[in-house]
Amino acid sequence: MKIKFKLNGMMREWETAPGEKVLDFLKRHSVTSVRNGCDCQGSCGACTIVVNKKTVNACLLLTAQIDDKEVYTVDYLAKNRQLSVVQQAFIDAGVVQCGYCSPAMILAVTDLLSRNPSPDERAVKDALSGIFCRCTGYQQFFTAVSLAAKRLVTPGYTCQTAPEFREDLRVVGKVEPKVDGPRLVRGEKAYVEDMVESGSLYLKMLRSPHAHAYIKNIDTTDALNMPGVALVVTHKNCPDVYYNQAGQGFPEPSPYDRKLFGEKVRHVGDRVAAVVAETNEIAAEAVKKIRVEYEILKPVLSVDEAAAEGAPLVHNSVLEYVVGAPKDLDNSGADPRDGRIIYQFPIHAHPKKNIAASVSGGIGAISQGFKDADVVFEQEYQTTQIQCTPLEPHVVYTKMAGDRLIIHASTQVPWHLRRIVARILGVSENKIRVIKERVGGGFGAKQDIVLEEVAAYCTWVTGRPVLFKFNREEEFIASRTRHPMKIKVKLGAKKDGRLTAIHMHVRANTGPYGAHCLTVPMNACSKSLPLFLCDHVHFQVDTYYSNIPPCGAYQGYGAPQGSYALQLAVAELADSLGLDHLSVLEKNRVHDGSMLEILKCLGEGREGVPQKVSSCGLGPALKKGAQMIAWGHKEHSADPDIRIGKGVTIIQQGSGLPGLDSANASVTLLGDGTLMLLSGGTDLGTGLDTLTTKMVAECLCVKMEAVSLIAADTDVTPYDDGAYASSGTFFSGSAALEAAKAMRQKLIETASLMLKEPAETLSLVFPSQVKGQKGSVTFAEISRFTQSGTGSGQISVTAGFTTDKAAFPYGAHFCQVAVNTRTGEVRIQKYYALQDCGTPINPELALGQIYGGVLKTIGHSLYEEMILDDTGHCINATLRDYRVPMINDLPADFKAELVETNDPFGPYGGKSVSEISCNGAAPVIASAIHDAVGVWIRSWPFSAEKVLKALGKIEV
Amino acid sequence: MITNIFRPQSVAEALGLKNDLKGSVFYLAGGTEINSKDFYPQPDQLIFLEGLGLNQIQQDNEGLTIGAHCTMQQLIDDTKTPDFIKQAAAQIINRNIRNAATLGGHLVCNKPYSDIIPTLLVAGASVEIEGPQGTKVVLLSDFLQAPGTDLLVAVKIPQVKADRRVSCLNYRCSANDLSLITTAVSVVCQDRVVSEIMIILGGVGLKRQRLLAVENNLISRNFKVDRARVHSSQNEGIQPRQSQVSNLAGRVLPGVDELQNLVSRAVEATPDFRGSVVFKKYEAGVMVAQALCRACEGQAGGGS
């Protein structure tokens, strides 16, 4: 059938199938700005379009419903590449992070302002009520809308959208346009799905319906016989190569405990077979034709079940060690169907007890610490499984170029991805190119190689391009999640609240495979224990295999769980001593210059190094936060059912992994004096590309627009470990800065020749000049000088950055909650996040990182959780049922504040900002609930049902 | 797989198509349910109703007639819509959905967690349906029990009696979640004495419930409503929960706690991942008690 409609002002008459969704229809006609994040449930709004002046979801419309109508997408707004007022306001306010939701948000705001030229917050919330943004925490959208509204009345209006820092610097610490912002707000091709060429194959995965089973038989004949099916891969015809999917530096502290496909399935959603076919529909049909016979085994779903005597073994495998095999290694009784586990080095695993990894350590003498105590407090805290829910599900597109494999990836770790795929294919790394496209949200889930290697293998075998995109359910059951943990905390303290001993015992559930099984649970200790200065500290970490969906990295990387347990324990201790919580924190907390001895026991699979705190903004953060929330002043409600309480917590993270991470960058001088920056840094939407650009612009005294950037392309840009462990600012930023410094040296040396002045008398001046006592030359003149036939050649420099120094970001979070004692409902009235990220390089984006991190974790504190039935099926694997926070879930008063410090090791004093933001919500909300109603909620989420049970209103 | 979409220009044409077409044939209105991935069974053929012109809202002496193709947002934006209906429609928090979802489609889908259906029921709504036998007007409650194959063309809301007060409340775990509890209560007062009560509850179970036993229990107490007394707790961001209804001649409306228990005992709840039976029954008691108190305290002739 044919429909006739107006698209972005132009009449169109296009063929369509009767059941075709408008979303698919528009994408088929190259309108890429409409996105799909919820598989047509209408719960993400990424496909928002305007039909006859109403915003609607294109995924819930059939093409017949737009016949004879006017349809607008974001593509209409930018005329001649000039941004609309709303698009520009989005960039200026810093609300464009990954950008996957930006076109939808922009259309909704444009529609709002056409109806209501000066909307209040309620109207903004209503306009954006159906659009999910996992990155920004929504708060800055109010600024963006206000800015746009004012500019529509007064063109050119401007205001300060974020505080600025470092008067001595030109672009660092200043609000500057995000370098990828215009491309994203225009809805241009930017993501992996936009790179797909005609003639590509589509991959669909047959997934296990059982949490724990052996595959007795698998028959793919009928699938292979279907017209259009190119390949079916199962455990019978995949490479016999073991690997780990964790995108970590080699050698990884994670076991190689899986192949592409195994004879045993270990979770609901585990891979059984991959089908690649000419269309998605054929692939999906072919998947249904694969016949599988399973031998079903009893699943283990919790650490208690996994640790129980006689528990079913998730990996009854043959164990091998590359180095450090224990002398008593005993592989008797292993079942060959379970395959092998290869350890790069010992991580104290004991698969015959379902232990994937373990570690313990400490400083001082813990028993002495408890002897010295006036009081000893002990409690256990529990966390549930949380999904990262990036708006863009995992996606990869692979193709051949000659004899080389090209991987268009939405990944946090391009180089680790290349290494792992090379291992599986049995080829050398030079045969593979990974191009990191714009990433529609990563949050840790895209640190792991959860689909790329399958598509890569299928392309390598068939020679055909392959697209593999997860649906939302796969994102829940086959991606990565926050580890559920049970954490026992034992504290010893003097009566005045001074800590004498801290013991943490973390029992973590890694699920079916051991990606990050040592390091995430360890981080529960390493990012919480160093906040307190205590002479006697001990920790024990035990990670168990189970048959829940896979766990791995998620923003915070174990720290949110550890922070919840330890910070809440300290709050409980303070309460039991009758002391003010804030004063107990002040009494025990870390300071500028403190020596963190505990870190010598907390290396990631190697010996750690004690670190001195090089900068710490905790003092001012606590002081200002206490003022903002009126700490010590009890609030009362007029409603007798409502009780109001306040909480405080302190948090920290790292800035990459000193001694493990490395980053590199190159800068090249172009003919007209502009610069090309090649950075290995992987921007996930966080603003890293803007940050590295600023490093070069600041150091070389040029305008930001004089620096162009290519990043995270393994063929083009130098090596970088990737975007994880909060390494972007510290490592990738420092690499760019080091490259700029090397370029500066070259420029001065060349100018010295040209001006005939000693280099010591020369300096760079803005814009793009080298000035001496006798004269000056421009970068363009220097370039012409070097590139001429008599010159020394184009100036191009590369620099690497490694360090053994750490730069810890710190923060204090305060909140005020209202607890309804009748309904059990917890509402956040005020949430103030005060964070020290050193010099905030991109202040508006740093604020967005904080808002986003906090709101994500308000989500898991109050309502988000993956819920499994007793067979291991996730029963709420949709965005709606899982309950991601939307704009109407915002705290009534939500503020992020940047507390400036100047770290001596960070680039221009900068430290990380993103992950740390996830560490405060759970403990601070739990503390506030206690302050309100006197009960401690020791497992997240703090649902109304749990609160009512704790209050004795309903039966436990 | 959808093989055909028909676009009738009259009700008669739509009915004819429905009668003639074979297979899995559905009417298509806004499409927010039928086009979603959750809809089952998948239709083979669709009859798109937009061309029927059923998107008018009209007020007359009998009350309000809302065309079945009116969207939820249209209901909110139209000045003729009573406030309590607007409030219920606004409980569909997602504006994109409200812009597309039609009232008729919503009623036909008849989800147990619907926030607007309880309100329409307590308002005494009826529906106009067209079928081979002609036009019929039936109570909404009857239509929902046995929707049949006729075409819903309009929803009729009787003129709200001067002494009727309506209140609707819901509880959900997060803003865009489905309602765990959704309730609407109407009370009719004569000389401030409550003479009629209707309580509809959704969300807690697989089916919507009318709490007749609770209604009868309360009516038998012959109580009187007091002047409105609603706590102003907007600053806390939480809706007021505590209310008070006074007595008449020694006949007392139960206190909130007793009212809650009365309701909780009467409710049939089904456990799911949103809550246990105990929690749902308890929370239903809280919500209904609250809605009842609000209705008693609210402005006569409308909602609160």
Side-chain angles (χ1 to χ4, degrees):
Chain A
M1 64 185 249
K2 204 171 255 187
I3 63 164
K4 195 173 173 185
F5 69 113
K6 198 180 258 188
L7 175 61
N8 294 327
M10 290 182 69
M11 282 308 301
R12 300 289 189 185
E13 197 171 343
W14 285 339
E15 281 290 335
T16 179
E20 187 171 20
K21 297 278 177 66
V22 172
L23 169 62
D24 301 326
F25 176 73
L26 291 175
K27 278 196 167 294
R28 194 160 58 78
H29 287 95
S30 300
V31 180
T32 54
S33 61
V34 285
R35 304 289 175 191
N36 179 3
C38 67
D39 306 331
C40 302
Q41 197 193 35
S43 54
C44 81
C47 62
T48 297
I49 58 173
V50 177
V51 177
N52 282 9
K53 300 184 177 176
K54 304 279 185 195
T55 56
V56 292
N57 293 326
C59 75
L60 295 179
L61 281 182
L62 299 179
T63 46
Q65 294 178 273
I66 59 168
D67 197 13
D68 289 329
K69 298 216 170 90
E70 265 192 319
V71 176
Y72 288 97
T73 67
V74 82
D75 308 71
Y76 177 75
L77 298 177
K79 296 280 168 50
N80 302 322
R81 303 189 72 251
Q82 294 297 306
L83 301 182
S84 75
V85 165
V86 175
Q87 287 170 317
Q88 188 62 54
F90 266 49
I91 294 174
D92 294 346
V95 295
V96 182
Q97 286 195 28
C98 84
Y100 207 70
C101 74
S102 296
M105 292 285 191
I106 286 164
L107 282 175
V109 171
T110 304
D111 169 63
L112 168 67
L113 293 174
S114 71
R115 292 182 279 111
N116 180 352
S118 53
D120 58 15
E121 283 203 1
R122 192 173 167 179
V124 176
K125 284 183 178 178
D126 181 55
L128 305 183
S129 54
I131 306 172
F132 172 47
C133 173
R134 192 58 151 171
C135 298
T136 64
Y138 305 104
Q139 185 65 30
Q140 291 164 297
F141 281 103
F142 301 117
T143 308
V145 175
S146 167
L147 189 57
K150 286 178 176 139
R151 282 179 182 167
L152 285 170
V153 177
T154 312
Y157 171 85
T158 190
C159 68
Q160 194 70 45
T161 55
E164 296 195 324
F165 302 87
R166 295 290 299 264
E167 286 183 4
D168 57 321
L169 301 175
R170 216 171 15 79
V171 292
V172 166
K174 310 299 180 295
V175 177
E176 295 285 346
K178 193 167 187 270
V179 296
D180 53 338
R183 181 186 185 189
L184 299 178
V185 297
R186 281 196 291 256
E188 292 175 5
K189 290 184 177 183
Y191 303 92
V192 170
E193 68 200 42
D194 304 334
M195 308 302 157
V196 180
E197 299 161 6
S198 62
S200 297
L201 298 175
Y202 296 83
L203 194 156
K204 290 283 180 192
M205 190 68 74
L206 174 64
R207 297 192 176 279
S208 170
H210 306 295
H212 198 190
Y214 289 117
I215 296 173
K216 287 173 71 177
N217 290 300
I218 182 162
D219 183 352
T220 60
T221 311
D222 290 348
L224 278 166
N225 286 340
M226 273 185 71
V229 172
L231 179 69
V232 178
V233 188
T234 70
H235 74 274
K236 290 183 170 178
N237 62 346
C238 76
D240 186 24
V241 176
Y242 286 83
Y243 65 102
N244 194 284
Q245 294 178 315
Q248 297 175 299
F250 179 83
E252 305 99 317
S254 295
Y256 287 21
D257 55 7
R258 68 165 304 136
K259 300 196 291 183
L260 277 181
F261 295 85
E263 197 173 346
K264 189 183 201 187
V265 287
R266 295 184 169 91
H267 67 98
V268 173
D270 206 353
R271 295 172 184 168
V272 175
V275 175
V276 285
E278 299 291 342
T279 68
N280 255 325
E281 291 72 23
I282 295 171
E285 266 316 297
V287 160
K288 292 179 193 166
K289 292 184 184 295
I290 297 172
R291 288 193 294 277
V292 188
E293 189 183 349
Y294 295 96
E295 179 185 331
I296 298 169
L297 306 170
K298 188 179 177 206
V300 288
L301 301 176
S302 66
V303 291
D304 291 332
E305 287 176 32
E309 197 66 37
L313 296 183
V314 180
H315 287 266
N316 188 13
S317 311
V318 173
L319 311 183
E320 299 172 12
Y321 286 78
V322 175
V323 295
K327 289 192 175 119
D328 58 350
L329 180 61
D330 177 11
N331 278 318
S332 59
D335 191 318
R337 294 173 298 176
D338 281 61
R340 293 181 284 155
I341 302 179
I342 302 166
Y343 298 98
Q344 295 300 311
F345 51 85
I347 54 172
H348 309 290
H350 200 333
K352 294 246 177 330
K353 290 187 174 179
N354 281 326
I355 294 176
S358 62
V359 63
S360 63
I363 56 170
I366 192 73
S367 55
Q368 185 61 48
F370 285 117
K371 275 184 197 163
D372 294 344
D374 294 329
V375 291
V376 173
F377 171 85
E378 189 169 7
Q379 196 52 259
E380 185 173 66
Y381 304 89
Q382 191 169 346
T383 69
T384 54
Q385 193 169 18
I386 307 297
Q387 222 285 312
C388 310
T389 65
L391 182 54
E392 175 204 44
H394 277 75
V395 59
V396 68
Y397 182 59
T398 51
K399 64 184 182 187
M400 296 302 297
D403 67 343
R404 301 185 72 222
L405 175 70
I406 311 296
I407 303 176
H408 295 272
S410 179
T411 181
Q412 299 176 218
V413 287
W415 281 268
H416 297 336
L417 168 58
R418 183 176 68 174
R419 188 192 74 236
I420 291 169
V421 170
R423 174 184 168 84
I424 294 165
L425 300 186
V427 302
S428 52
E429 290 186 17
N430 66 308
K431 295 294 182 190
I432 299 173
R433 177 184 185 184
V434 176
I435 304 168
K436 192 275 302 180
E437 306 295 352
R438 301 324 294 176
V439 176
F443 317 125
K446 290 176 182 167
Q447 188 186 341
D448 283 10
I449 316 308
V450 303
L451 80 173
E452 294 91 341
E453 80 278 36
V454 185
Y457 179 72
C458 293
T459 288
W460 191 256
V461 170
T462 63
R464 300 277 303 277
V466 171
L467 175 71
F468 186 12
K469 183 178 181 184
F470 274 8
N471 62 31
R472 185 52 64 181
E473 184 186 16
E474 287 177 305
E475 199 61 36
F476 277 94
I477 64 173
S479 168
R480 288 295 178 264
T481 59
R482 209 183 279 298
H483 291 66
M485 293 188 193
K486 283 188 166 182
I487 303 177
K488 269 190 184 157
V489 180
K490 187 175 177 184
L491 303 174
K494 294 291 189 186
K495 283 179 184 165
D496 66 356
R498 190 170 301 278
L499 292 166
T500 60
I502 307 175
H503 176 73
M504 284 180 83
H505 183 189
V506 175
R507 293 191 303 148
N509 186 344
T510 191
Y513 300 103
H516 308 271
C517 64
L518 175 70
T519 44
V520 164
M522 215 171 155
N523 223 38
C525 301
S526 57
K527 299 298 184 289
S528 57
L529 289 172
L531 275 163
F532 296 111
L533 300 174
C534 180
D535 292 337
H536 307 290
V537 179
H538 192 264
F539 63 88
Q540 169 76 40
V541 173
D542 300 306
T543 306
Y544 291 87
Y545 282 122
S546 76
N547 299 113
I548 66 172
C551 302
Y554 181 9
Q555 195 174 10
Y557 202 77
Q561 297 98 311
S563 178
Y564 170 49
L566 183 55
Q567 292 291 327
L568 198 57
V570 171
E572 292 202 50
L573 173 75
D575 181 66
S576 69
L577 289 170
L579 298 172
D580 173 59
H581 183 193
L582 180 54
S583 69
V584 171
L585 293 176
E586 281 287 10
K587 195 168 299 236
N588 291 287
R589 73 171 173 85
V590 69
H591 291 85
D592 222 338
S594 300
M595 200 65 193
L596 305 178
E597 293 291 340
I598 185 69
L599 294 179
K600 73 183 179 191
C601 327
L602 286 160
E604 296 214 335
R606 57 174 193 145
E607 197 169 339
V609 181
Q611 294 281 354
K612 188 176 177 182
V613 175
S614 53
S615 61
C616 176
L618 269 179
L622 283 167
K623 187 176 177 187
K624 187 169 184 187
Q627 287 169 349
M628 288 169 70
I629 204 139
W631 185 258
H633 176 72
K634 186 71 184 168
E635 311 286 342
H636 297 280
S637 168
D639 185 331
D641 285 342
I642 308 288
R643 300 280 192 279
I644 297 172
K646 297 176 184 178
V648 60
T649 198
I650 55 175
I651 51 175
Q652 74 147 95
Q653 199 78 23
S655 295
L657 304 171
L660 279 175
D661 285 348
S662 72
N664 298 272
S666 301
V667 179
T668 299
L669 183 66
L670 306 184
D672 62 354
T674 57
L675 297 152
M676 196 72 215
L677 166 63
L678 305 180
S679 164
T682 304
D683 189 339
L684 312 176
T686 52
L688 180 59
D689 286 349
T690 307
L691 183 143
T692 50
T693 302
K694 280 185 175 178
M695 292 293 144
V696 174
E698 188 72 56
C699 178
L700 296 177
C701 297
V702 301
K703 295 177 181 174
M704 276 185 70
E705 50 267 35
V707 182
S708 285
L709 169 81
I710 297 176
D713 179 333
T714 59
D715 263 16
V716 179
T717 66
Y719 178 83
D720 190 293
D721 272 311
Y724 58 89
S726 294
S727 62
T729 297
F730 197 58
F731 279 85
S732 305
S734 293
L737 181 55
E738 290 303 314
K741 286 177 180 172
M743 173 56 76
R744 182 173 64 190
Q745 183 62 29
K746 292 274 188 188
L747 290 167
I748 286 178
E749 285 171 6
T750 310
S752 169
L753 289 174
M754 294 170 72
L755 293 169
K756 297 184 175 47
E757 285 194 51
E760 302 79 62
T761 63
L762 303 178
S763 62
L764 269 55
V765 294
F766 181 83
S768 305
Q769 292 179 65
V770 182
K771 192 175 179 187
Q773 291 171 338
K774 299 177 188 170
S776 63
V777 289
T778 65
F779 289 6
E781 290 166 334
I782 292 173
S783 185
R784 284 195 290 274
F785 178 77
T786 59
Q787 290 185 28
S788 72
T790 56
S792 55
Q794 185 177 36
I795 302 178
S796 188
V797 295
T798 297
F801 180 78
T802 58
T803 184
D804 60 355
K805 300 288 190 299
F808 302 105
Y810 290 100
H813 286 194
F814 290 80
C815 85
Q816 179 176 307
V817 301
V819 182
N820 188 314
T821 57
R822 191 168 291 274
T823 65
E825 199 177 2
V826 177
R827 290 281 179 96
I828 300 177
Q829 297 180 318
K830 298 176 182 175
Y831 198 108
Y832 302 143
L834 300 97
Q835 289 187 202
D836 150 31
C837 60
T839 299
I841 313 288
N842 302 322
E844 78 285 22
L845 299 174
L847 288 174
Q849 294 285 300
I850 298 172
Y851 285 123
V854 170
L855 192 63
K856 281 186 203 86
T857 45
I858 285 176
H860 78 215
S861 299
L862 294 182
Y863 37 77
E864 278 186 51
E865 66 175 324
M866 284 174 65
I867 299 173
L868 307 185
D869 67 14
D870 55 11
T871 62
H873 287 79
C874 180
I875 55 176
N876 63 335
T878 68
L879 291 179
R880 184 190 62 198
D881 292 342
Y882 174 75
R883 300 184 282 238
V884 290
M886 304 292 280
I887 195 167
N888 280 291
D889 291 303
L890 280 178
D893 181 6
F894 193 16
K895 288 191 180 75
E897 296 267 341
L898 298 166
V899 178
E900 186 182 10
T901 60
N902 187 353
D903 190 86
F905 305 121
Y908 291 108
K911 301 190 279 190
S912 76
V913 68
S914 162
E915 289 195 274
I916 180 178
S917 313
C918 296
N919 299 347
V924 77
I925 294 169
S927 294
I929 291 171
H930 175 264
D931 187 48
V933 294
V935 297
W936 298 103
I937 310 290
R938 299 188 182 103
S939 68
W940 80 34
F942 317 137
S943 64
E945 184 162 359
K946 280 186 194 166
V947 171
L948 289 170
K949 283 177 179 170
L951 291 171
K953 295 287 180 82
I954 58 174
E955 295 167 15
V956 177
Chain B
M1 184 177 161
I2 297 167
T3 55
N4 274 313
I5 296 185
F6 299 91
R7 303 192 57 160
Q9 296 303 303
S10 69
V11 170
E13 191 185 349
L15 292 172
L17 284 164
K18 187 79 163 85
N19 187 55
D20 296 344
L21 294 171
K22 306 295 178 216
S24 176
V25 182
F26 286 84
Y27 289 120
L28 169 66
T32 54
E33 293 286 349
I34 206 167
N35 294 338
S36 99
K37 78 181 184 81
D38 301 331
F39 190 82
Y40 185 84
Q42 283 293 306
D44 299 331
Q45 303 190 85
L46 292 170
I47 302 166
F48 186 31
L49 302 175
E50 188 182 56
L52 307 189
L54 302 174
N55 59 348
Q56 307 296 315
I57 299 177
Q58 292 171 324
Q59 176 81 59
D60 60 23
N61 292 338
E62 299 294 309
L64 199 66
T65 300
I66 303 167
H69 212 77
C70 282
T71 66
M72 296 298 179
Q73 189 58 41
Q74 202 181 336
L75 274 181
I76 293 170
D77 292 340
D78 197 299
T79 54
K80 296 186 286 297
T81 309
D83 283 347
F84 65 94
I85 301 285
K86 289 186 180 191
Q87 285 167 16
Q91 294 302 326
I92 298 171
I93 202 153
N94 183 330
R95 185 180 180 95
N96 283 8
I97 299 294
R98 292 201 310 267
N99 277 337
T102 66
L103 182 59
H106 187 87
L107 296 182
V108 170
C109 287
N110 190 18
K111 301 284 186 188
Y113 47 78
S114 162
D115 292 306
I116 196 167
I117 291 177
T119 301
L120 293 174
L121 288 171
V122 300
S126 55
V127 292
E128 186 178 317
I129 53 178
E130 296 263 8
Q133 279 75 45
T135 305
K136 281 191 290 187
V137 175
V138 298
L139 280 174
L140 175 61
S141 52
D142 294 339
F143 173 79
L144 294 173
Q145 288 287 330
T149 57
D150 291 352
L151 175 61
L152 194 161
V153 296
V155 178
K156 292 176 173 292
I157 298 167
Q159 189 70 46
V160 179
K161 291 181 188 173
D163 49 6
R164 183 184 292 277
R165 304 151 189 237
V166 176
S167 175
C168 55
L169 271 181
N170 69 355
Y171 175 82
R172 49 175 68 133
C173 300
S174 68
N176 288 46
D177 194 14
L178 302 178
S179 285
L180 185 88
I181 312 286
T182 179
T183 186
V185 171
S186 77
V187 296
V188 174
C189 308
Q190 290 171 336
D191 296 329
R192 293 165 59 203
V193 174
V194 173
S195 58
E196 289 178 30
I197 297 177
M198 184 186 270
I199 304 169
I200 305 290
L201 181 67
V204 287
L206 300 175
K207 289 182 177 174
R208 200 174 296 103
Q209 301 164 50
R210 180 172 177 186
L211 303 184
L212 271 169
V214 178
E215 293 170 13
N216 293 335
N217 181 310
L218 295 176
I219 287 297
S220 69
R221 302 186 188 215
N222 197 22
F223 68 90
K224 175 183 174 184
V225 299
D226 199 357
R227 188 170 57 82
R229 188 186 74 84
V230 178
H231 288 288
S232 173
S233 52
Q234 290 172 347
N235 291 339
E236 286 96 43
I238 284 193
Q239 293 177 335
R241 305 287 185 211
Q242 181 71 9
S243 297
Q244 183 176 304
V245 180
S246 67
N247 60 20
L248 174 71
R251 289 185 284 271
V252 181
L253 178 69
V256 172
D257 290 340
E258 189 188 341
L259 203 51
Q260 275 179 221
N261 291 334
L262 190 65
V263 174
S264 294
R265 283 198 299 274
V267 169
E268 287 180 20
T270 309
D272 59 22
F273 66 84
R274 288 185 170 82
S276 66
V277 167
V278 172
F279 173 63
K280 286 184 169 186
K281 285 168 79 80
Y282 171 88
E283 207 71 75
V286 174
M287 287 294 130
V288 170
Q290 181 65 33
L292 186 64
C293 293
R294 282 178 161 210
C296 292
E297 293 168 343
Q299 292 291 315
S304 65

